Amino acid sequence: MRIAVLSDVHANYHALEATLAAVDAEGADEVWCLGDTVGYGPRPNRCCAIVRERAAICLAGNHDLAVTGALSIEEFNGEAAAAAQWTREVIEPEARAFLESLAPSGARRGVELFHGSPIDPVWDYVLSEQAAYASFQATDAPLVLVGHSHVPLAISWRDGELGGGIATAGEEVDLSAPRWILNPGSVGQPRGGDPRAAWLLIDEEAARATFRRTPYAVELTQAEIRERGLPDGLAARLALGQ
Ligand code: ZN
């Protein structure tokens, strides 16, 4: 089984389409989605429809929960709050029902999935060694997948020691090592200076995971953000990968 792990699509239809074309070209058997399908971006309804159709499992992220009303928009600041408010206004019943059906954590094929982390599946960021250590202590799953930070990450736990860190494009991880926390990065709002959509391909038989990057037409999503009157900073950052 080969699994494409996507996260933080953030209503970026052009990034999602390009990523799924790359996923299909690889012949992946399943797509898993770690949440934040909406928020920030201009195409929430279309992205919900595609993810609902394509993903074998999909989590709820903090932005999804803000749109359904499970979280207050007051918990978000600036551009995130403005985009969440706009998304609440335009979300259609089918997409809303899809988002309402999701949970921020899940499990599939022996792998544990969290939008944030095992410590707090909605809000916690695994971005430090301390956070990774706490997450490894909170579960005994050999493989843990997280999203939320938009930064691709591969952290290992072997003989009581942490290893790894930020994952670069093309980096390959040997999953036969004892334990891993992997973050695929973000499809729809990549951070860390690379504007290409980020995702992860897991090959179960080969016990290997590869960090992938897929270019897409950033300017098309930027135009949609501006057409809808969303904050311009949300368009600008896509070209920078920040
Ligand atoms: Zn996100």
Side-chain angles (χ1 to χ4, degrees), residues 26-181:
E26 289 284 355
D29 303 291
E30 279 196 357
V31 174
W32 298 356
C33 179
L34 304 179
D36 276 359
T37 300
V38 303
Y40 292 131
R43 303 286 298 274
N45 292 308
R46 189 90 181 92
C47 288
C48 281
I50 293 168
V51 169
R52 191 182 58 168
E53 187 190 314
R54 294 294 310 268
I57 182 169
C58 182
L59 304 182
N62 50 312
H63 289 258
D64 303 323
L65 296 170
V67 169
T68 64
L71 286 179
S72 166
I73 286 180
E74 283 169 22
E75 297 194 56
F76 294 75
N77 46 35
E79 292 171 341
Q85 184 58 47
W86 174 84
T87 308
R88 272 189 184 184
E89 288 159 16
V90 303
I91 200 82
E92 290 167 3
E94 238 174 69
R96 170 183 289 278
F98 170 66
L99 295 175
E100 285 173 344
S101 74
L102 307 177
S105 62
R108 192 161 172 94
R109 304 183 67 81
V111 180
E112 289 190 2
L113 289 68
F114 303 90
H115 179 65
S117 85
I119 299 292
D120 179 342
V122 176
W123 285 111
D124 188 41
Y125 290 93
V126 182
L127 276 171
S128 65
E129 287 206 337
Q130 196 180 12
Y133 178 81
S135 285
F136 276 121
Q137 298 302 309
T139 169
D140 51 16
L143 179 56
V144 174
L145 300 175
V146 301
H148 190 44
S149 73
H150 299 204
V151 177
L153 204 73
I155 298 182
S156 62
W157 178 256
R158 185 197 299 261
D159 303 328
E161 295 223 20
L162 293 169
I166 289 174
T168 53
E171 187 169 329
E172 209 167 272
V173 164
D174 175 5
L175 296 177
S176 64
R179 298 185 67 194
W180 285 98
I181 296 174

